[in-house]
Amino acid sequence: MGQKVNPIGFRIGSFLNWKSKWFAGKADYSDKVVEDYKLRQYLQEKLASAGVVRIEIERSLTVIKVVLHVARPGVVIGKGGSNLEDIKKQIERILNVSKVKKDKVKIDLRVEEVTNPDLSAKLIAERISGQLIKRFPHRRAVLQSMERVMQAGAKGVKISLAGRIGGAEIGRTEKYFEGSIPTQTLRANIDYYHEPSLTRSGYVGIKVWIYRGEIV
């Protein structure tokens, strides 16, 4: 179970909450799912340098709330909040707010800073991916990342690489551990993320598990 189930999906509903919170009928459910996907894709590409950790979308009849959890909020806000206004206009276009009267539907865009980015599995996986693309030695990249995670206060970290690691002719899987990762304990606060890294030799899959302690 520990290696076959997504640790975040395994805990949703009991200890973790959904990233999208809204209700829709059969007629417009699929449209809202596509809108959420397009919005997340746009924000990830637009704010790649800001270190996006999590995007939460909450819809009601009058308000669409979008919360951005980022490592560098200054990049999102921009000078005098100019970048924030541009993002809000683009969100209105993606979510088709222009088709409805704007005085009835309001976009509530919030930016929250991630206090400790070294405890984010997403940022760690993206950092390793960037290093592999630049042909950085994979073992050094992984061990440096694990060291930073443990120094940030994590109780355990596991990183898995799979594919043509280091340009090898035959694909293989390498796993690195430090500390403990209780994958089957529901109350364990485990952050997980997988990232494909397109190197010169082909794709290398990166999976990161970070154990932050138990949820009280």
Side-chain angles (χ1 to χ4, degrees), residues 38-58:
K38 289 182 178 178
L39 177 57
R40 293 180 191 279
Q41 197 175 36
Y42 162 73
L43 292 173
Q44 291 284 1
E45 293 175 0
K46 174 77 174 178
L47 306 173
S49 59
V52 179
V53 174
R54 183 182 174 94
I55 301 170
E56 295 178 357
I57 303 171
E58 188 174 346

Side-chain angles (χ1 to χ4, degrees), residues 56 58 63-67 88 106-110:
E56 295 178 357
E58 188 174 346
V63 180
I64 298 176
K65 182 178 173 184
V66 181
V67 183
K88 190 177 288 188
K106 178 186 175 185
I107 299 292
D108 183 11
L109 181 60
R110 301 184 186 181

Side-chain angles (χ1 to χ4, degrees), residues 25 55 83 90 109 113 133-134 154 158 165 177 189 191 197:
I55 301 170
N83 196 28
Q90 188 67 13
L109 181 60
E113 183 179 5
I133 291 172
K134 294 176 183 176
K158 179 170 79 170
I165 304 170
F177 302 85
N189 185 5
D191 192 20
S197 178

Side-chain angles (χ1 to χ4, degrees), residues 86-131:
D86 294 339
I87 294 172
K88 190 177 288 188
K89 289 179 182 178
Q90 188 67 13
I91 290 174
E92 289 177 353
R93 189 188 66 81
I94 294 173
L95 299 182
N96 296 320
V97 175
S98 56
K99 294 181 181 179
V100 190
K101 291 183 179 179
K102 289 189 178 181
D103 56 348
K104 290 186 178 180
V105 180
K106 178 186 175 185
I107 299 292
D108 183 11
L109 181 60
R110 301 184 186 181
V111 181
E112 295 187 6
E113 183 179 5
V114 177
T115 54
N116 201 340
D118 285 331
L119 288 178
S120 169
K122 181 177 183 296
L123 297 184
I124 295 296
E126 289 176 349
R127 185 185 300 138
I128 295 174
S129 175
Q131 290 175 324

Side-chain angles (χ1 to χ4, degrees), residues 1 9 13 15-16 36 39 47 69 78 84 106 113 131 137 139-141 143 166 175-176 182 184 191 194-195 197:
M1 181 185 290
F15 291 97
L16 299 180
D36 277 16
L39 177 57
L47 306 173
H69 299 265
L84 209 60
K106 178 186 175 185
E113 183 179 5
Q131 290 175 324
R139 283 191 182 88
R140 190 185 304 173
L143 293 177
K175 295 181 181 179
Y176 302 85
Q184 297 185 40
D191 192 20
H194 62 273
E195 173 81 8
S197 178

